Amino acid sequence: MRRDTGNPAPASPRLTTAGAALLPLLPLSLFGGAAWFATWVRPSADEWCFLPLVRDEGFMALVERFYSTDNGRIANGVLVAAYARFGVAGHQGYATISAIVMLLLLWAWAVALVRRARWRVLRGVPLFSAAMVLALFCFASTNTYKTFFWPASSVSHTFPPVLAAAATIPALLATSRRGKAFAIVFAGVVAAVMGTLSEETSVIALILLVPALLLSRRLFPAGRLAFVRAWCVAAAAGILAGTAVLLTSPGSQNRRTRHPTDAMFAPHSLHASLRAYAHVLHTLATHWQYLGAIAVGVLIGVLVRRADGGLPRPDRRTPLLFGAGAAALLFSGYVCTVIAYPAFGPSVATANRLWNDYLFPLLLLLVGVGGLLGNLTVRRWRRGRKAVAAGAVLLCVCVTAVLAVSLRDLGSDMRVRATAWDRQDLLLRRQAAAGATVLPYERLVVSGMLEPFGGGGKHQWPASCVALYYRVEKVTDGTDH
């Protein structure tokens, strides 16, 4: 193994390589368990309405409903219809399929970053980094069920930020004129889709593009400056085009009628949004499991090398890059809170799925901070490289163990609900087949999910969808029967 310039090589290179290759098994084991628990997912909340519509009227009926009635999110409607067309099986399979897609995208993104920077890393590090960050994103959540297992929430707030990050892969790999042209077109297309998939992720991406464009001369080499600017303009134009389609849709207009946005920028609304956002940031800052993202970065900073074997050296652009990125992310999170406040009110401070759009890039920022810390530590304390790497791995192991216990407990709750749901489903189907037109429905709640007659009787609307699902005229509250 080639010895690093100015740095002692590991005493056991084969052992180090084997250990790095095994690292991805830590977070991947969490996804393996989650895939098994996903078989206990059963419809609730919005899915009660999606299922009978797709079953009775077809795939495009739900897409049309999203565009014309609900919210205007065409791409969102396509993804929801894609799993709803398979009924309960679609709900069970969504978490596993989406996890595989997100993991592959993040893995490819990590490899592209390494190639763009012309670094050398041990073979298992990119996959470990991608899987660990995704595991933190999905399973360290204050409500893992809504983040990972609930398809409707994942489509709107979990998958979009990962897709936005992955949209930069062609730009990172582009070297030829044809490759750069493809990256620019790809960015515009994905951004336009994003505009009709998730308003929050679109806002965050647009806000991040602004400083990237304004500071491009100071952040990027002169040889790629024209390409970077063209890419940023294409991505921003795509987001604006997609958002324009969304905002002018009948569904978006209906949503604004139900949740008026006239007072969105009124002083009292801005102040209430700021209080809610401060609560969110406090919750995230005190959630110690997110230290795992810093640990991942530290490990990368300790292990990564330049192509010539030397240590990468942060340049003068680094403080500007991290400072501008952090400021833009924090501001975009507040803007997302302001946008969501008319519909959610004070509960925007506790509806964790609304945080995910900016939580994911914040986790990536923490990885970057950890990378700088790891790099600085190796430079100042070269003999302690093994100890620092071992400490970072140990913290990742501890976080993984805690997430595994939490996931196991959630899986137990999901299994209890699935058993009760299946039993009630069979009973209601038999009663409907026997000619009953009114069925008693017992609320079956997991992780605070919305069910008919919940919230002290305030949540009545899912009941009509449950009636449609069982093809009866009405369902009544059977919880107390």
Side-chain angles (χ1 to χ4, degrees):
M1 184 175 180
R2 185 174 178 176
R3 188 175 296 272
D4 293 341
T5 304
N7 296 282
S12 305
R14 291 184 179 179
L15 185 60
T16 301
T17 302
L22 293 175
L23 276 177
L25 295 179
L26 275 174
L28 290 179
S29 64
L30 292 175
F31 286 103
W36 172 256
F37 297 155
T39 61
W40 298 324
V41 172
R42 298 295 185 272
S44 57
D46 304 69
E47 272 92 15
W48 280 122
C49 299
F50 301 155
L51 285 175
L53 181 61
V54 174
R55 179 196 64 198
D56 298 339
E57 302 182 35
F59 184 100
M60 290 306 300
L62 184 57
V63 179
E64 171 64 20
R65 172 172 165 172
F66 269 54
Y67 178 74
S68 300
T69 305
D70 287 354
N71 47 43
R73 301 173 189 161
I74 300 175
N76 199 301
V78 169
L79 291 181
V80 171
Y83 70 78
R85 69 182 300 181
F86 297 103
V88 176
H91 290 70
Q92 295 170 346
Y94 175 84
T96 300
I97 294 173
S98 66
I100 293 172
V101 171
M102 290 189 292
L103 183 58
L104 290 176
L105 289 176
L106 286 181
W107 187 11
W109 186 63
V111 171
L113 282 173
V114 170
R115 291 185 179 179
R116 179 73 261 167
R118 297 179 181 177
W119 289 343
R120 290 189 327 180
V121 293
L122 297 175
R123 182 166 296 179
V125 172
L127 177 57
F128 166 74
S129 304
M132 194 68 201
V133 170
L134 187 60
L136 288 169
F137 182 43
C138 294
F139 306 133
S141 169
T142 56
N143 192 322
T144 294
Y145 189 90
K146 291 185 177 180
T147 296
F148 183 73
F149 291 106
W150 184 22
S153 174
S154 177
V155 164
S156 299
H157 303 288
T158 304
F159 177 66
V162 175
L163 176 62
T168 63
I169 293 175
L172 292 170
L173 299 178
T175 54
S176 65
R177 180 176 298 180
R178 181 176 298 179
K180 292 177 180 178
F182 172 78
I184 291 172
V185 173
F186 183 81
V189 172
V190 173
V193 172
M194 188 69 64
T196 64
L197 178 63
S198 171
E199 297 96 316
E200 287 83 0
T201 297
S202 297
V203 166
I204 293 165
L206 192 60
I207 292 176
L208 288 175
L209 285 170
V210 171
L213 187 59
L214 296 178
L215 300 174
S216 57
R217 186 177 296 277
R218 299 179 61 184
L219 291 176
F220 301 98
R224 289 180 68 86
L225 190 58
F227 166 63
V228 168
R229 288 176 172 173
W231 189 92
C232 289
V233 169
I239 292 173
L240 293 175
T243 303
V245 171
L246 186 149
L247 293 178
T248 56
S249 68
S252 179
Q253 295 173 16
N254 288 340
R255 184 184 178 96
R256 291 195 296 271
T257 300
R258 297 193 303 269
H259 308 290
T261 59
D262 297 342
M264 180 184 297
F265 299 108
H268 68 87
S269 181
L270 294 175
H271 184 62
S273 298
L274 183 60
R275 288 200 309 270
Y277 185 50
H279 183 273
V280 171
L281 292 180
H282 177 265
T283 302
L284 297 178
T286 55
H287 209 56
W288 73 269
Q289 289 91 333
Y290 293 135
L291 290 175
I294 297 179
V296 170
V298 168
L299 188 63
I300 294 172
V302 169
L303 296 179
V304 72
R305 294 294 180 268
R306 296 195 309 262
D308 61 5
L311 285 170
R313 183 182 297 274
D315 56 27
R316 292 177 297 177
R317 297 173 297 179
T318 301
L320 178 61
L321 176 63
F322 277 83
L329 271 179
L330 291 173
F331 176 68
S332 66
Y334 174 61
V335 174
C336 288
T337 308
V338 171
I339 292 173
Y341 192 83
F344 289 86
S347 65
V348 74
T350 54
N352 78 298
R353 67 185 185 277
L354 302 176
W355 315 342
N356 290 337
D357 301 271
Y358 54 87
L359 171 59
F360 180 73
L362 282 174
L363 289 176
L364 297 181
L365 181 65
L366 290 181
V367 173
V369 171
L372 288 178
L373 292 175
N375 182 270
L376 178 63
T377 301
V378 173
R379 289 183 178 280
R380 296 286 179 87
W381 188 30
R382 293 179 180 178
R383 294 180 181 272
R385 177 173 56 179
K386 292 181 183 178
V388 174
V393 172
L394 181 60
L395 180 55
C396 289
V397 170
C398 292
V399 171
T400 302
V402 171
L403 296 182
V405 172
S406 176
L407 194 58
R408 181 202 62 189
D409 294 341
L410 174 59
S412 178
D413 294 340
M414 292 167 59
R415 180 174 56 184
V416 170
R417 180 181 188 262
T419 302
W421 195 97
D422 291 341
R423 186 186 306 116
Q424 178 170 246
D425 179 63
L426 180 60
L427 177 62
L428 295 181
R429 289 182 183 277
R430 286 177 175 174
Q431 291 177 346
T437 58
V438 178
L439 301 177
Y441 178 84
E442 180 180 352
R443 293 191 302 278
L444 301 171
V445 181
V446 62
S447 295
M449 290 295 296
L450 187 64
E451 279 281 278
F453 315 111
K458 293 185 299 182
H459 302 147
Q460 296 288 331
W461 63 266
S464 60
C465 296
V466 174
L468 288 175
Y469 182 76
Y470 290 107
R471 293 188 171 97
V472 295
E473 295 179 3
K474 181 180 179 182
V475 296
T476 58
D477 188 356
T479 302
D480 299 327
H481 289 71

